PDB file of all heavy atoms in Angstrom:
ATOM      1  N   ARG A 223      15.927  17.536   6.251  1.00  0.00           N
ATOM      2  CA  ARG A 223      17.108  17.700   7.030  1.00  0.00           C
ATOM      3  C   ARG A 223      16.689  18.526   8.384  1.00  0.00           C
ATOM      4  O   ARG A 223      17.141  18.293   9.447  1.00  0.00           O
ATOM      5  CB  ARG A 223      18.288  18.343   6.375  1.00  0.00           C
ATOM      6  CG  ARG A 223      18.933  17.386   5.451  1.00  0.00           C
ATOM      7  CD  ARG A 223      20.318  18.043   4.894  1.00  0.00           C
ATOM      8  NE  ARG A 223      19.944  19.185   4.046  1.00  0.00           N
ATOM      9  CZ  ARG A 223      19.905  19.010   2.671  1.00  0.00           C
ATOM     10  NH1 ARG A 223      19.935  17.738   2.153  1.00  0.00           N
ATOM     11  NH2 ARG A 223      19.622  20.004   1.908  1.00  0.00           N
ATOM     12  N   LYS A 224      15.902  19.612   8.143  1.00  0.00           N
ATOM     13  CA  LYS A 224      15.466  20.362   9.259  1.00  0.00           C
ATOM     14  C   LYS A 224      14.649  19.621  10.277  1.00  0.00           C
ATOM     15  O   LYS A 224      14.735  19.667  11.515  1.00  0.00           O
ATOM     16  CB  LYS A 224      14.694  21.667   8.723  1.00  0.00           C
ATOM     17  CG  LYS A 224      15.605  22.634   8.090  1.00  0.00           C
ATOM     18  CD  LYS A 224      14.649  23.892   7.642  1.00  0.00           C
ATOM     19  CE  LYS A 224      15.631  24.959   6.976  1.00  0.00           C
ATOM     20  NZ  LYS A 224      14.813  26.047   6.455  1.00  0.00           N
ATOM     21  N   ALA A 225      13.754  18.849   9.855  1.00  0.00           N
ATOM     22  CA  ALA A 225      12.809  18.046  10.526  1.00  0.00           C
ATOM     23  C   ALA A 225      13.638  17.127  11.396  1.00  0.00           C
ATOM     24  O   ALA A 225      13.329  16.857  12.535  1.00  0.00           O
ATOM     25  CB  ALA A 225      11.719  17.401   9.825  1.00  0.00           C
ATOM     26  N   ARG A 226      14.624  16.462  10.674  1.00  0.00           N
ATOM     27  CA  ARG A 226      15.473  15.381  11.364  1.00  0.00           C
ATOM     28  C   ARG A 226      16.313  16.181  12.442  1.00  0.00           C
ATOM     29  O   ARG A 226      16.416  15.497  13.602  1.00  0.00           O
ATOM     30  CB  ARG A 226      16.363  14.752  10.368  1.00  0.00           C
ATOM     31  CG  ARG A 226      17.242  13.672  10.968  1.00  0.00           C
ATOM     32  CD  ARG A 226      18.120  12.995   9.861  1.00  0.00           C
ATOM     33  NE  ARG A 226      19.007  13.928   9.218  1.00  0.00           N
ATOM     34  CZ  ARG A 226      19.650  13.753   8.185  1.00  0.00           C
ATOM     35  NH1 ARG A 226      19.712  12.406   7.731  1.00  0.00           N
ATOM     36  NH2 ARG A 226      20.446  14.626   7.617  1.00  0.00           N
ATOM     37  N   PHE A 227      16.925  17.295  12.184  1.00  0.00           N
ATOM     38  CA  PHE A 227      17.595  18.015  13.157  1.00  0.00           C
ATOM     39  C   PHE A 227      16.945  18.511  14.421  1.00  0.00           C
ATOM     40  O   PHE A 227      17.240  18.163  15.521  1.00  0.00           O
ATOM     41  CB  PHE A 227      18.340  19.202  12.522  1.00  0.00           C
ATOM     42  CG  PHE A 227      18.920  20.222  13.514  1.00  0.00           C
ATOM     43  CD1 PHE A 227      20.339  19.748  13.945  1.00  0.00           C
ATOM     44  CD2 PHE A 227      18.395  21.111  14.016  1.00  0.00           C
ATOM     45  CE1 PHE A 227      20.971  20.537  14.917  1.00  0.00           C
ATOM     46  CE2 PHE A 227      19.090  22.112  14.924  1.00  0.00           C
ATOM     47  CZ  PHE A 227      20.392  21.613  15.282  1.00  0.00           C
ATOM     48  N   ARG A 228      15.763  18.856  14.251  1.00  0.00           N
ATOM     49  CA  ARG A 228      14.805  19.299  15.366  1.00  0.00           C
ATOM     50  C   ARG A 228      14.375  18.175  16.174  1.00  0.00           C
ATOM     51  O   ARG A 228      14.463  18.157  17.436  1.00  0.00           O
ATOM     52  CB  ARG A 228      13.546  20.025  14.774  1.00  0.00           C
ATOM     53  CG  ARG A 228      13.897  21.434  14.195  1.00  0.00           C
ATOM     54  CD  ARG A 228      12.648  21.941  13.515  1.00  0.00           C
ATOM     55  NE  ARG A 228      12.918  23.245  12.868  1.00  0.00           N
ATOM     56  CZ  ARG A 228      12.092  23.783  12.005  1.00  0.00           C
ATOM     57  NH1 ARG A 228      10.917  23.228  11.692  1.00  0.00           N
ATOM     58  NH2 ARG A 228      12.487  25.060  11.566  1.00  0.00           N
ATOM     59  N   PHE A 229      14.082  17.029  15.502  1.00  0.00           N
ATOM     60  CA  PHE A 229      13.695  15.834  16.293  1.00  0.00           C
ATOM     61  C   PHE A 229      14.805  15.362  17.071  1.00  0.00           C
ATOM     62  O   PHE A 229      14.672  15.074  18.313  1.00  0.00           O
ATOM     63  CB  PHE A 229      13.156  14.788  15.431  1.00  0.00           C
ATOM     64  CG  PHE A 229      12.854  13.430  16.051  1.00  0.00           C
ATOM     65  CD1 PHE A 229      12.043  13.278  17.064  1.00  0.00           C
ATOM     66  CD2 PHE A 229      13.857  12.484  15.702  1.00  0.00           C
ATOM     67  CE1 PHE A 229      11.937  12.029  17.707  1.00  0.00           C
ATOM     68  CE2 PHE A 229      13.692  11.106  16.228  1.00  0.00           C
ATOM     69  CZ  PHE A 229      12.821  10.932  17.295  1.00  0.00           C
ATOM     70  N   VAL A 230      16.013  15.226  16.522  1.00  0.00           N
ATOM     71  CA  VAL A 230      17.114  14.641  17.145  1.00  0.00           C
ATOM     72  C   VAL A 230      17.486  15.629  18.307  1.00  0.00           C
ATOM     73  O   VAL A 230      17.823  15.137  19.373  1.00  0.00           O
ATOM     74  CB  VAL A 230      18.334  14.397  16.251  1.00  0.00           C
ATOM     75  CG1 VAL A 230      19.581  14.207  16.882  1.00  0.00           C
ATOM     76  CG2 VAL A 230      17.977  13.304  15.138  1.00  0.00           C
TER      77      VAL A 230
END
Side-chain angles (χ1 to χ4, degrees):
R223 284 190 292 267
K224 287 181 179 180
R226 182 179 60 183
F227 173 77
R228 290 170 182 170
F229 166 68
V230 172

